[in-house]
Amino acid sequence: AIDKFVMSIDTPITGFLSSLRDPVKPEFVNVLTSLAIDNRAYLLYSAAAVKGKHRTMINGLMKCNESCKEISGDAAKLKPFIAFRSNIFDTSFLMLFSIMQKCRIDKFPEVGGDYFFEKWTRDGMIDLSKPKSPLSIVRMSDQSKVDELISYFNDNSVTAQQQPPPISLKLSEICWTIPSMLYNVIIAWENDTIKPQAVKNIL
């Protein structure tokens, strides 16, 4: 039964890994989205581990996530392209994190490189085996980016149907900045230097 199972999963695993090696295509968003549901990403990872291809899968997802962390040039003005790249970034991040949660960080393939997800795992993620100050990620933020993000989320047009205002931050920078942004907003709210409605808009 195990042999038959391994043979049956070989084709989908090979197909998925091939898709990760190719330039990211619009239809690949649907593939990633379907895998992000329930435990499907971890099941695929487990199946890849049986074939000895789990490190290749993780590395491919990290590269995919990395390639979409920044939207610049003329592409940054195209709403469909922004949505496409941000969806790939978000979904690949969630897949990597859900796999890490299931297999535990100490059994996750070694992350010693410079991809965004690797840096976030080392410096940003809470690890029960290596306690770190809750403010450590706050201190790593650039205050000018924190201010820009607060202004962006406090802009009423962000929640409207029209095109939202441009923002200079990369998607990866937003991940690093949001904890500090929330910390700043809470402090400002406690000191009555920001209105409750503004806090509501930002949240």
Side-chain angles (χ1 to χ4, degrees), residues 3-21:
D3 290 342
K4 289 181 179 179
F5 172 71
V6 171
M7 289 176 65
S8 70
I9 63 174
D10 189 52
T11 299
I13 289 172
T14 302
F16 182 72
L17 295 180
S18 296
S19 298
L20 287 175
R21 285 192 292 268

Side-chain angles (χ1 to χ4, degrees), residues 5 16 31-48 57 61 91 94-104:
F5 172 71
F16 182 72
V31 175
L32 287 180
T33 303
S34 67
L35 287 170
I37 299 171
D38 299 325
N39 292 325
R40 293 177 189 175
Y42 182 67
L43 288 173
L44 186 65
Y45 171 79
S46 300
M57 176 180 168
L61 282 170
T91 311
L94 289 172
M95 284 182 66
L96 287 164
F97 184 61
S98 66
I99 291 170
M100 181 179 284
Q101 279 187 312
K102 289 290 182 183
C103 69
R104 299 206 317 268

Side-chain angles (χ1 to χ4, degrees), residues 173-186:
E173 290 176 331
I174 292 174
C175 287
W176 286 117
T177 307
I178 279 183
S180 185
M181 180 202 77
L182 293 173
Y183 178 78
N184 276 257
V185 168
I186 290 170

Side-chain angles (χ1 to χ4, degrees), residues 156-198:
N156 291 327
S157 65
V158 171
T159 57
Q161 296 299 317
Q162 63 194 47
Q163 178 85 15
I167 188 168
S168 66
L169 275 65
K170 301 175 184 177
L171 293 171
S172 55
E173 290 176 331
I174 292 174
C175 287
W176 286 117
T177 307
I178 279 183
S180 185
M181 180 202 77
L182 293 173
Y183 178 78
N184 276 257
V185 168
I186 290 170
I187 295 299
W189 181 44
E190 289 179 341
N191 290 298
D192 293 324
T193 56
I194 187 172
K195 295 180 179 179
Q197 185 59 45

